[in-house]
Amino acid sequence: QVQLVESGGGLVQAGGSLRLSCTASGSTFSNNPMGWYRQAPGKQRDMVASISSSGRTNYADSVKGRFTISRDNAKNAVYLQMNNLKPENTAVYYCDLVIHWSNYWGQGAQVTVSS
């Protein structure tokens, strides 16, 4: 059974940094795309960043230059380094794992950025 566990969320002031981590269990996922999504209250869940099995990355325009996604295949883990955070980045951040075109999600990590 696939399970994703996020950590690293919290409260930070605008301009600060946070690093989210996500560890997957249930199998080996080095050949699977992974990523991060976020959902703010009353809004849809949107892609923040993704990383392919080969390490190719993709970012939402709003976070380019501030967020960095990386992965450690030996640990079945994906990370999101978030710098220069803004109040509009406040949301629940979800780890995403794609297996055979199906998305698997973690429980979410709350990120709150105060102004």
Side-chain angles (χ1 to χ4, degrees):
Q1 182 178 356
V2 176
Q3 186 174 12
L4 302 172
V5 178
E6 298 109 334
S7 61
L11 173 65
V12 64
Q13 289 187 331
S17 299
L18 283 174
R19 185 177 188 243
L20 301 180
S21 300
C22 172
T23 301
S25 60
S27 185
T28 300
F29 303 111
S30 59
N31 293 324
N32 298 88
M34 300 186 77
W36 292 93
Y37 283 65
R38 65 186 175 194
Q39 187 167 18
K43 296 188 177 181
Q44 67 180 19
R45 188 174 299 188
D46 292 325
M47 192 276 290
V48 177
S50 64
I51 186 166
S52 71
S53 57
S54 63
R56 185 176 69 250
T57 59
N58 186 39
Y59 295 94
D61 287 343
S62 62
V63 306
K64 285 180 180 177
R66 298 188 298 120
F67 290 13
T68 303
I69 189 171
S70 60
R71 66 189 294 165
D72 185 337
N73 289 333
K75 296 181 179 179
N76 264 358
V78 63
Y79 309 98
L80 186 67
Q81 177 66 43
M82 304 183 291
N83 298 329
N84 191 20
L85 282 160
K86 304 176 180 181
E88 54 263 40
N89 298 141
T90 295
V92 177
Y93 284 70
Y94 295 91
C95 177
D96 170 57
L97 170 66
V98 180
I99 303 174
H100 299 311
W101 301 280
S102 294
N103 293 85
Y104 292 80
W105 307 99
Q107 81 286 356
Q110 177 68 49
V111 171
T112 303
V113 185
S114 63
S115 57

PDB file of all heavy atoms in Angstrom, residues 38-77:
ATOM      1  N   ARG A  38      -0.519  22.537  -3.785  1.00  0.00           N
ATOM      2  CA  ARG A  38      -1.001  23.269  -2.622  1.00  0.00           C
ATOM      3  C   ARG A  38      -2.450  23.667  -2.828  1.00  0.00           C
ATOM      4  O   ARG A  38      -2.916  23.824  -3.953  1.00  0.00           O
ATOM      5  CB  ARG A  38      -0.157  24.517  -2.346  1.00  0.00           C
ATOM      6  CG  ARG A  38      -0.219  25.581  -3.417  1.00  0.00           C
ATOM      7  CD  ARG A  38       0.760  26.700  -3.119  1.00  0.00           C
ATOM      8  NE  ARG A  38       0.796  27.696  -4.199  1.00  0.00           N
ATOM      9  CZ  ARG A  38       1.741  28.623  -4.322  1.00  0.00           C
ATOM     10  NH1 ARG A  38       2.740  28.685  -3.420  1.00  0.00           N
ATOM     11  NH2 ARG A  38       1.706  29.493  -5.313  1.00  0.00           N
ATOM     12  N   GLN A  39      -3.129  23.839  -1.689  1.00  0.00           N
ATOM     13  CA  GLN A  39      -4.527  24.223  -1.721  1.00  0.00           C
ATOM     14  C   GLN A  39      -4.784  25.238  -0.625  1.00  0.00           C
ATOM     15  O   GLN A  39      -4.634  24.937   0.565  1.00  0.00           O
ATOM     16  CB  GLN A  39      -5.440  23.011  -1.546  1.00  0.00           C
ATOM     17  CG  GLN A  39      -6.896  23.309  -1.743  1.00  0.00           C
ATOM     18  CD  GLN A  39      -7.721  22.048  -1.883  1.00  0.00           C
ATOM     19  OE1 GLN A  39      -7.305  20.949  -1.520  1.00  0.00           O
ATOM     20  NE2 GLN A  39      -8.925  22.184  -2.443  1.00  0.00           N
ATOM     21  N   ALA A  40      -5.149  26.438  -1.028  1.00  0.00           N
ATOM     22  CA  ALA A  40      -5.511  27.487  -0.092  1.00  0.00           C
ATOM     23  C   ALA A  40      -7.008  27.390   0.197  1.00  0.00           C
ATOM     24  O   ALA A  40      -7.763  26.825  -0.605  1.00  0.00           O
ATOM     25  CB  ALA A  40      -5.161  28.848  -0.681  1.00  0.00           C
ATOM     26  N   PRO A  41      -7.468  27.933   1.314  1.00  0.00           N
ATOM     27  CA  PRO A  41      -8.894  27.859   1.667  1.00  0.00           C
ATOM     28  C   PRO A  41      -9.776  28.425   0.555  1.00  0.00           C
ATOM     29  O   PRO A  41      -9.541  29.530   0.064  1.00  0.00           O
ATOM     30  CB  PRO A  41      -8.979  28.709   2.932  1.00  0.00           C
ATOM     31  CG  PRO A  41      -7.629  28.623   3.531  1.00  0.00           C
ATOM     32  CD  PRO A  41      -6.681  28.582   2.381  1.00  0.00           C
ATOM     33  N   GLY A  42     -10.765  27.644   0.155  1.00  0.00           N
ATOM     34  CA  GLY A  42     -11.707  28.087  -0.859  1.00  0.00           C
ATOM     35  C   GLY A  42     -11.199  28.039  -2.282  1.00  0.00           C
ATOM     36  O   GLY A  42     -11.884  28.500  -3.207  1.00  0.00           O
ATOM     37  N   LYS A  43     -10.000  27.485  -2.473  1.00  0.00           N
ATOM     38  CA  LYS A  43      -9.423  27.427  -3.812  1.00  0.00           C
ATOM     39  C   LYS A  43      -9.138  25.989  -4.213  1.00  0.00           C
ATOM     40  O   LYS A  43      -9.123  25.087  -3.393  1.00  0.00           O
ATOM     41  CB  LYS A  43      -8.144  28.268  -3.865  1.00  0.00           C
ATOM     42  CG  LYS A  43      -8.378  29.755  -3.635  1.00  0.00           C
ATOM     43  CD  LYS A  43      -7.129  30.556  -3.887  1.00  0.00           C
ATOM     44  CE  LYS A  43      -7.399  32.046  -3.736  1.00  0.00           C
ATOM     45  NZ  LYS A  43      -6.166  32.858  -4.006  1.00  0.00           N
ATOM     46  N   GLN A  44      -8.883  25.797  -5.491  1.00  0.00           N
ATOM     47  CA  GLN A  44      -8.577  24.461  -5.977  1.00  0.00           C
ATOM     48  C   GLN A  44      -7.129  24.105  -5.664  1.00  0.00           C
ATOM     49  O   GLN A  44      -6.312  24.964  -5.352  1.00  0.00           O
ATOM     50  CB  GLN A  44      -8.810  24.389  -7.490  1.00  0.00           C
ATOM     51  CG  GLN A  44      -7.850  25.237  -8.316  1.00  0.00           C
ATOM     52  CD  GLN A  44      -8.129  25.131  -9.809  1.00  0.00           C
ATOM     53  OE1 GLN A  44      -9.211  24.726 -10.235  1.00  0.00           O
ATOM     54  NE2 GLN A  44      -7.146  25.480 -10.623  1.00  0.00           N
ATOM     55  N   ARG A  45      -6.836  22.821  -5.764  1.00  0.00           N
ATOM     56  CA  ARG A  45      -5.473  22.349  -5.553  1.00  0.00           C
ATOM     57  C   ARG A  45      -4.666  22.579  -6.833  1.00  0.00           C
ATOM     58  O   ARG A  45      -5.054  22.132  -7.910  1.00  0.00           O
ATOM     59  CB  ARG A  45      -5.485  20.864  -5.189  1.00  0.00           C
ATOM     60  CG  ARG A  45      -4.153  20.320  -4.759  1.00  0.00           C
ATOM     61  CD  ARG A  45      -4.272  18.879  -4.271  1.00  0.00           C
ATOM     62  NE  ARG A  45      -5.140  18.756  -3.114  1.00  0.00           N
ATOM     63  CZ  ARG A  45      -5.279  17.614  -2.417  1.00  0.00           C
ATOM     64  NH1 ARG A  45      -4.600  16.540  -2.780  1.00  0.00           N
ATOM     65  NH2 ARG A  45      -6.097  17.577  -1.389  1.00  0.00           N
ATOM     66  N   ASP A  46      -3.547  23.262  -6.698  1.00  0.00           N
ATOM     67  CA  ASP A  46      -2.724  23.629  -7.853  1.00  0.00           C
ATOM     68  C   ASP A  46      -1.321  23.049  -7.735  1.00  0.00           C
ATOM     69  O   ASP A  46      -0.785  22.907  -6.635  1.00  0.00           O
ATOM     70  CB  ASP A  46      -2.606  25.151  -7.985  1.00  0.00           C
ATOM     71  CG  ASP A  46      -3.926  25.807  -8.356  1.00  0.00           C
ATOM     72  OD1 ASP A  46      -4.697  25.188  -9.110  1.00  0.00           O
ATOM     73  OD2 ASP A  46      -4.172  26.930  -7.889  1.00  0.00           O
ATOM     74  N   MET A  47      -0.732  22.761  -8.878  1.00  0.00           N
ATOM     75  CA  MET A  47       0.636  22.261  -8.911  1.00  0.00           C
ATOM     76  C   MET A  47       1.608  23.370  -8.531  1.00  0.00           C
ATOM     77  O   MET A  47       1.492  24.491  -9.021  1.00  0.00           O
ATOM     78  CB  MET A  47       0.963  21.732 -10.296  1.00  0.00           C
ATOM     79  CG  MET A  47       2.260  20.927 -10.391  1.00  0.00           C
ATOM     80  SD  MET A  47       3.749  21.921 -10.609  1.00  0.00           S
ATOM     81  CE  MET A  47       3.538  22.520 -12.276  1.00  0.00           C
ATOM     82  N   VAL A  48       2.556  23.041  -7.692  1.00  0.00           N
ATOM     83  CA  VAL A  48       3.619  23.964  -7.308  1.00  0.00           C
ATOM     84  C   VAL A  48       4.908  23.623  -8.055  1.00  0.00           C
ATOM     85  O   VAL A  48       5.541  24.482  -8.659  1.00  0.00           O
ATOM     86  CB  VAL A  48       3.876  23.921  -5.794  1.00  0.00           C
ATOM     87  CG1 VAL A  48       5.043  24.835  -5.419  1.00  0.00           C
ATOM     88  CG2 VAL A  48       2.619  24.300  -5.024  1.00  0.00           C
ATOM     89  N   ALA A  49       5.286  22.353  -7.988  1.00  0.00           N
ATOM     90  CA  ALA A  49       6.517  21.907  -8.623  1.00  0.00           C
ATOM     91  C   ALA A  49       6.442  20.406  -8.850  1.00  0.00           C
ATOM     92  O   ALA A  49       5.759  19.704  -8.104  1.00  0.00           O
ATOM     93  CB  ALA A  49       7.736  22.247  -7.779  1.00  0.00           C
ATOM     94  N   SER A  50       7.138  19.948  -9.876  1.00  0.00           N
ATOM     95  CA  SER A  50       7.195  18.517 -10.142  1.00  0.00           C
ATOM     96  C   SER A  50       8.605  18.140 -10.556  1.00  0.00           C
ATOM     97  O   SER A  50       9.388  18.990 -11.013  1.00  0.00           O
ATOM     98  CB  SER A  50       6.198  18.119 -11.228  1.00  0.00           C
ATOM     99  OG  SER A  50       6.531  18.730 -12.462  1.00  0.00           O
ATOM    100  N   ILE A  51       8.912  16.861 -10.391  1.00  0.00           N
ATOM    101  CA  ILE A  51      10.237  16.360 -10.759  1.00  0.00           C
ATOM    102  C   ILE A  51      10.080  14.967 -11.328  1.00  0.00           C
ATOM    103  O   ILE A  51       9.405  14.109 -10.756  1.00  0.00           O
ATOM    104  CB  ILE A  51      11.195  16.396  -9.547  1.00  0.00           C
ATOM    105  CG1 ILE A  51      12.608  16.005  -9.971  1.00  0.00           C
ATOM    106  CG2 ILE A  51      10.691  15.541  -8.396  1.00  0.00           C
ATOM    107  CD1 ILE A  51      13.667  16.353  -8.918  1.00  0.00           C
ATOM    108  N   SER A  52      10.693  14.745 -12.477  1.00  0.00           N
ATOM    109  CA  SER A  52      10.599  13.446 -13.119  1.00  0.00           C
ATOM    110  C   SER A  52      11.592  12.472 -12.498  1.00  0.00           C
ATOM    111  O   SER A  52      12.416  12.841 -11.660  1.00  0.00           O
ATOM    112  CB  SER A  52      10.878  13.597 -14.616  1.00  0.00           C
ATOM    113  OG  SER A  52      12.247  13.879 -14.827  1.00  0.00           O
ATOM    114  N   SER A  53      11.525  11.230 -12.942  1.00  0.00           N
ATOM    115  CA  SER A  53      12.448  10.220 -12.433  1.00  0.00           C
ATOM    116  C   SER A  53      13.892  10.556 -12.796  1.00  0.00           C
ATOM    117  O   SER A  53      14.822  10.189 -12.076  1.00  0.00           O
ATOM    118  CB  SER A  53      12.071   8.851 -12.981  1.00  0.00           C
ATOM    119  OG  SER A  53      12.067   8.871 -14.404  1.00  0.00           O
ATOM    120  N   SER A  54      14.082  11.286 -13.884  1.00  0.00           N
ATOM    121  CA  SER A  54      15.433  11.655 -14.324  1.00  0.00           C
ATOM    122  C   SER A  54      15.909  12.975 -13.718  1.00  0.00           C
ATOM    123  O   SER A  54      17.041  13.394 -13.969  1.00  0.00           O
ATOM    124  CB  SER A  54      15.483  11.762 -15.844  1.00  0.00           C
ATOM    125  OG  SER A  54      14.615  12.794 -16.296  1.00  0.00           O
ATOM    126  N   GLY A  55      15.018  13.629 -12.955  1.00  0.00           N
ATOM    127  CA  GLY A  55      15.401  14.875 -12.305  1.00  0.00           C
ATOM    128  C   GLY A  55      14.974  16.135 -13.031  1.00  0.00           C
ATOM    129  O   GLY A  55      15.307  17.246 -12.594  1.00  0.00           O
ATOM    130  N   ARG A  56      14.232  16.002 -14.110  1.00  0.00           N
ATOM    131  CA  ARG A  56      13.741  17.191 -14.804  1.00  0.00           C
ATOM    132  C   ARG A  56      12.655  17.858 -13.970  1.00  0.00           C
ATOM    133  O   ARG A  56      11.746  17.201 -13.482  1.00  0.00           O
ATOM    134  CB  ARG A  56      13.188  16.825 -16.174  1.00  0.00           C
ATOM    135  CG  ARG A  56      12.758  18.013 -17.012  1.00  0.00           C
ATOM    136  CD  ARG A  56      12.307  17.577 -18.397  1.00  0.00           C
ATOM    137  NE  ARG A  56      11.067  16.831 -18.343  1.00  0.00           N
ATOM    138  CZ  ARG A  56      10.966  15.530 -18.587  1.00  0.00           C
ATOM    139  NH1 ARG A  56      12.052  14.831 -18.881  1.00  0.00           N
ATOM    140  NH2 ARG A  56       9.796  14.928 -18.529  1.00  0.00           N
ATOM    141  N   THR A  57      12.765  19.156 -13.802  1.00  0.00           N
ATOM    142  CA  THR A  57      11.849  19.879 -12.915  1.00  0.00           C
ATOM    143  C   THR A  57      10.931  20.821 -13.678  1.00  0.00           C
ATOM    144  O   THR A  57      11.252  21.279 -14.785  1.00  0.00           O
ATOM    145  CB  THR A  57      12.627  20.683 -11.869  1.00  0.00           C
ATOM    146  OG1 THR A  57      13.499  21.608 -12.532  1.00  0.00           O
ATOM    147  CG2 THR A  57      13.452  19.768 -10.978  1.00  0.00           C
ATOM    148  N   ASN A  58       9.811  21.117 -13.046  1.00  0.00           N
ATOM    149  CA  ASN A  58       8.839  22.046 -13.601  1.00  0.00           C
ATOM    150  C   ASN A  58       8.225  22.812 -12.434  1.00  0.00           C
ATOM    151  O   ASN A  58       7.967  22.232 -11.372  1.00  0.00           O
ATOM    152  CB  ASN A  58       7.748  21.291 -14.367  1.00  0.00           C
ATOM    153  CG  ASN A  58       6.795  22.238 -15.073  1.00  0.00           C
ATOM    154  OD1 ASN A  58       7.203  23.250 -15.618  1.00  0.00           O
ATOM    155  ND2 ASN A  58       5.511  21.907 -15.063  1.00  0.00           N
ATOM    156  N   TYR A  59       8.030  24.128 -12.637  1.00  0.00           N
ATOM    157  CA  TYR A  59       7.527  24.971 -11.548  1.00  0.00           C
ATOM    158  C   TYR A  59       6.358  25.831 -12.017  1.00  0.00           C
ATOM    159  O   TYR A  59       6.302  26.260 -13.175  1.00  0.00           O
ATOM    160  CB  TYR A  59       8.631  25.912 -11.046  1.00  0.00           C
ATOM    161  CG  TYR A  59       9.799  25.217 -10.411  1.00  0.00           C
ATOM    162  CD1 TYR A  59      10.926  24.895 -11.164  1.00  0.00           C
ATOM    163  CD2 TYR A  59       9.785  24.900  -9.054  1.00  0.00           C
ATOM    164  CE1 TYR A  59      12.003  24.249 -10.580  1.00  0.00           C
ATOM    165  CE2 TYR A  59      10.861  24.264  -8.461  1.00  0.00           C
ATOM    166  CZ  TYR A  59      11.968  23.949  -9.233  1.00  0.00           C
ATOM    167  OH  TYR A  59      13.042  23.313  -8.647  1.00  0.00           O
ATOM    168  N   ALA A  60       5.463  26.118 -11.077  1.00  0.00           N
ATOM    169  CA  ALA A  60       4.459  27.130 -11.331  1.00  0.00           C
ATOM    170  C   ALA A  60       5.165  28.480 -11.478  1.00  0.00           C
ATOM    171  O   ALA A  60       6.168  28.731 -10.803  1.00  0.00           O
ATOM    172  CB  ALA A  60       3.452  27.189 -10.185  1.00  0.00           C
ATOM    173  N   ASP A  61       4.657  29.323 -12.348  1.00  0.00           N
ATOM    174  CA  ASP A  61       5.305  30.611 -12.605  1.00  0.00           C
ATOM    175  C   ASP A  61       5.473  31.418 -11.322  1.00  0.00           C
ATOM    176  O   ASP A  61       6.475  32.128 -11.151  1.00  0.00           O
ATOM    177  CB  ASP A  61       4.499  31.414 -13.617  1.00  0.00           C
ATOM    178  CG  ASP A  61       4.609  30.862 -15.031  1.00  0.00           C
ATOM    179  OD1 ASP A  61       5.540  30.074 -15.285  1.00  0.00           O
ATOM    180  OD2 ASP A  61       3.763  31.207 -15.862  1.00  0.00           O
ATOM    181  N   SER A  62       4.526  31.320 -10.419  1.00  0.00           N
ATOM    182  CA  SER A  62       4.538  32.159  -9.221  1.00  0.00           C
ATOM    183  C   SER A  62       5.647  31.800  -8.245  1.00  0.00           C
ATOM    184  O   SER A  62       5.962  32.594  -7.351  1.00  0.00           O
ATOM    185  CB  SER A  62       3.186  32.077  -8.508  1.00  0.00           C
ATOM    186  OG  SER A  62       2.928  30.754  -8.088  1.00  0.00           O
ATOM    187  N   VAL A  63       6.257  30.624  -8.397  1.00  0.00           N
ATOM    188  CA  VAL A  63       7.293  30.212  -7.443  1.00  0.00           C
ATOM    189  C   VAL A  63       8.664  30.077  -8.081  1.00  0.00           C
ATOM    190  O   VAL A  63       9.643  29.804  -7.381  1.00  0.00           O
ATOM    191  CB  VAL A  63       6.913  28.883  -6.753  1.00  0.00           C
ATOM    192  CG1 VAL A  63       5.534  28.980  -6.123  1.00  0.00           C
ATOM    193  CG2 VAL A  63       7.006  27.701  -7.702  1.00  0.00           C
ATOM    194  N   LYS A  64       8.762  30.283  -9.370  1.00  0.00           N
ATOM    195  CA  LYS A  64      10.049  30.158 -10.055  1.00  0.00           C
ATOM    196  C   LYS A  64      11.064  31.128  -9.455  1.00  0.00           C
ATOM    197  O   LYS A  64      10.765  32.300  -9.223  1.00  0.00           O
ATOM    198  CB  LYS A  64       9.883  30.436 -11.547  1.00  0.00           C
ATOM    199  CG  LYS A  64       9.235  29.310 -12.322  1.00  0.00           C
ATOM    200  CD  LYS A  64       9.112  29.650 -13.804  1.00  0.00           C
ATOM    201  CE  LYS A  64       8.464  28.505 -14.561  1.00  0.00           C
ATOM    202  NZ  LYS A  64       8.260  28.837 -15.991  1.00  0.00           N
ATOM    203  N   GLY A  65      12.248  30.623  -9.194  1.00  0.00           N
ATOM    204  CA  GLY A  65      13.299  31.438  -8.617  1.00  0.00           C
ATOM    205  C   GLY A  65      13.279  31.491  -7.099  1.00  0.00           C
ATOM    206  O   GLY A  65      14.229  31.973  -6.474  1.00  0.00           O
ATOM    207  N   ARG A  66      12.196  31.020  -6.490  1.00  0.00           N
ATOM    208  CA  ARG A  66      12.096  31.028  -5.021  1.00  0.00           C
ATOM    209  C   ARG A  66      12.003  29.620  -4.433  1.00  0.00           C
ATOM    210  O   ARG A  66      12.482  29.372  -3.326  1.00  0.00           O
ATOM    211  CB  ARG A  66      10.867  31.832  -4.584  1.00  0.00           C
ATOM    212  CG  ARG A  66      10.900  33.302  -4.996  1.00  0.00           C
ATOM    213  CD  ARG A  66       9.749  34.080  -4.368  1.00  0.00           C
ATOM    214  NE  ARG A  66       8.444  33.586  -4.808  1.00  0.00           N
ATOM    215  CZ  ARG A  66       7.518  33.107  -3.978  1.00  0.00           C
ATOM    216  NH1 ARG A  66       7.751  33.053  -2.677  1.00  0.00           N
ATOM    217  NH2 ARG A  66       6.356  32.694  -4.448  1.00  0.00           N
ATOM    218  N   PHE A  67      11.372  28.700  -5.142  1.00  0.00           N
ATOM    219  CA  PHE A  67      11.205  27.333  -4.661  1.00  0.00           C
ATOM    220  C   PHE A  67      12.091  26.396  -5.467  1.00  0.00           C
ATOM    221  O   PHE A  67      12.291  26.597  -6.675  1.00  0.00           O
ATOM    222  CB  PHE A  67       9.756  26.880  -4.820  1.00  0.00           C
ATOM    223  CG  PHE A  67       8.764  27.555  -3.895  1.00  0.00           C
ATOM    224  CD1 PHE A  67       9.087  28.693  -3.165  1.00  0.00           C
ATOM    225  CD2 PHE A  67       7.482  27.037  -3.775  1.00  0.00           C
ATOM    226  CE1 PHE A  67       8.169  29.308  -2.333  1.00  0.00           C
ATOM    227  CE2 PHE A  67       6.544  27.630  -2.940  1.00  0.00           C
ATOM    228  CZ  PHE A  67       6.888  28.765  -2.229  1.00  0.00           C
ATOM    229  N   THR A  68      12.572  25.345  -4.817  1.00  0.00           N
ATOM    230  CA  THR A  68      13.386  24.324  -5.480  1.00  0.00           C
ATOM    231  C   THR A  68      12.916  22.948  -5.058  1.00  0.00           C
ATOM    232  O   THR A  68      12.848  22.656  -3.856  1.00  0.00           O
ATOM    233  CB  THR A  68      14.871  24.491  -5.139  1.00  0.00           C
ATOM    234  OG1 THR A  68      15.314  25.804  -5.511  1.00  0.00           O
ATOM    235  CG2 THR A  68      15.707  23.454  -5.883  1.00  0.00           C
ATOM    236  N   ILE A  69      12.603  22.132  -6.036  1.00  0.00           N
ATOM    237  CA  ILE A  69      12.207  20.746  -5.760  1.00  0.00           C
ATOM    238  C   ILE A  69      13.399  19.837  -6.020  1.00  0.00           C
ATOM    239  O   ILE A  69      14.188  20.060  -6.945  1.00  0.00           O
ATOM    240  CB  ILE A  69      10.991  20.331  -6.626  1.00  0.00           C
ATOM    241  CG1 ILE A  69      10.458  18.973  -6.181  1.00  0.00           C
ATOM    242  CG2 ILE A  69      11.330  20.352  -8.109  1.00  0.00           C
ATOM    243  CD1 ILE A  69       9.140  18.593  -6.843  1.00  0.00           C
ATOM    244  N   SER A  70      13.531  18.810  -5.195  1.00  0.00           N
ATOM    245  CA  SER A  70      14.602  17.826  -5.380  1.00  0.00           C
ATOM    246  C   SER A  70      14.094  16.482  -4.877  1.00  0.00           C
ATOM    247  O   SER A  70      13.062  16.401  -4.210  1.00  0.00           O
ATOM    248  CB  SER A  70      15.867  18.254  -4.634  1.00  0.00           C
ATOM    249  OG  SER A  70      15.618  18.373  -3.241  1.00  0.00           O
ATOM    250  N   ARG A  71      14.821  15.438  -5.203  1.00  0.00           N
ATOM    251  CA  ARG A  71      14.429  14.111  -4.759  1.00  0.00           C
ATOM    252  C   ARG A  71      15.657  13.293  -4.415  1.00  0.00           C
ATOM    253  O   ARG A  71      16.755  13.530  -4.939  1.00  0.00           O
ATOM    254  CB  ARG A  71      13.575  13.400  -5.813  1.00  0.00           C
ATOM    255  CG  ARG A  71      14.271  13.059  -7.103  1.00  0.00           C
ATOM    256  CD  ARG A  71      13.287  12.559  -8.160  1.00  0.00           C
ATOM    257  NE  ARG A  71      12.686  11.284  -7.778  1.00  0.00           N
ATOM    258  CZ  ARG A  71      11.600  10.760  -8.355  1.00  0.00           C
ATOM    259  NH1 ARG A  71      10.998  11.419  -9.335  1.00  0.00           N
ATOM    260  NH2 ARG A  71      11.117   9.596  -7.956  1.00  0.00           N
ATOM    261  N   ASP A  72      15.448  12.315  -3.552  1.00  0.00           N
ATOM    262  CA  ASP A  72      16.489  11.362  -3.175  1.00  0.00           C
ATOM    263  C   ASP A  72      15.886   9.979  -3.395  1.00  0.00           C
ATOM    264  O   ASP A  72      15.109   9.489  -2.567  1.00  0.00           O
ATOM    265  CB  ASP A  72      16.884  11.572  -1.718  1.00  0.00           C
ATOM    266  CG  ASP A  72      18.039  10.689  -1.290  1.00  0.00           C
ATOM    267  OD1 ASP A  72      18.259   9.639  -1.925  1.00  0.00           O
ATOM    268  OD2 ASP A  72      18.717  11.036  -0.312  1.00  0.00           O
ATOM    269  N   ASN A  73      16.212   9.372  -4.505  1.00  0.00           N
ATOM    270  CA  ASN A  73      15.598   8.089  -4.858  1.00  0.00           C
ATOM    271  C   ASN A  73      15.977   6.987  -3.873  1.00  0.00           C
ATOM    272  O   ASN A  73      15.185   6.060  -3.652  1.00  0.00           O
ATOM    273  CB  ASN A  73      15.981   7.694  -6.279  1.00  0.00           C
ATOM    274  CG  ASN A  73      15.304   8.570  -7.320  1.00  0.00           C
ATOM    275  OD1 ASN A  73      14.232   9.115  -7.087  1.00  0.00           O
ATOM    276  ND2 ASN A  73      15.946   8.712  -8.468  1.00  0.00           N
ATOM    277  N   ALA A  74      17.146   7.069  -3.303  1.00  0.00           N
ATOM    278  CA  ALA A  74      17.566   6.044  -2.338  1.00  0.00           C
ATOM    279  C   ALA A  74      16.686   6.064  -1.091  1.00  0.00           C
ATOM    280  O   ALA A  74      16.540   5.039  -0.415  1.00  0.00           O
ATOM    281  CB  ALA A  74      19.021   6.263  -1.952  1.00  0.00           C
ATOM    282  N   LYS A  75      16.105   7.238  -0.804  1.00  0.00           N
ATOM    283  CA  LYS A  75      15.250   7.378   0.373  1.00  0.00           C
ATOM    284  C   LYS A  75      13.771   7.437   0.016  1.00  0.00           C
ATOM    285  O   LYS A  75      12.934   7.630   0.896  1.00  0.00           O
ATOM    286  CB  LYS A  75      15.639   8.639   1.149  1.00  0.00           C
ATOM    287  CG  LYS A  75      17.043   8.605   1.717  1.00  0.00           C
ATOM    288  CD  LYS A  75      17.349   9.869   2.502  1.00  0.00           C
ATOM    289  CE  LYS A  75      18.751   9.813   3.095  1.00  0.00           C
ATOM    290  NZ  LYS A  75      19.081  11.042   3.855  1.00  0.00           N
ATOM    291  N   ASN A  76      13.451   7.294  -1.279  1.00  0.00           N
ATOM    292  CA  ASN A  76      12.049   7.435  -1.704  1.00  0.00           C
ATOM    293  C   ASN A  76      11.472   8.767  -1.229  1.00  0.00           C
ATOM    294  O   ASN A  76      10.325   8.835  -0.752  1.00  0.00           O
ATOM    295  CB  ASN A  76      11.188   6.288  -1.149  1.00  0.00           C
ATOM    296  CG  ASN A  76      11.016   5.149  -2.141  1.00  0.00           C
ATOM    297  OD1 ASN A  76      11.500   5.214  -3.264  1.00  0.00           O
ATOM    298  ND2 ASN A  76      10.332   4.118  -1.708  1.00  0.00           N
ATOM    299  N   ALA A  77      12.257   9.825  -1.358  1.00  0.00           N
ATOM    300  CA  ALA A  77      11.867  11.109  -0.781  1.00  0.00           C
ATOM    301  C   ALA A  77      11.898  12.227  -1.821  1.00  0.00           C
ATOM    302  O   ALA A  77      12.671  12.184  -2.788  1.00  0.00           O
ATOM    303  CB  ALA A  77      12.796  11.468   0.372  1.00  0.00           C
TER     304      ALA A  77
END
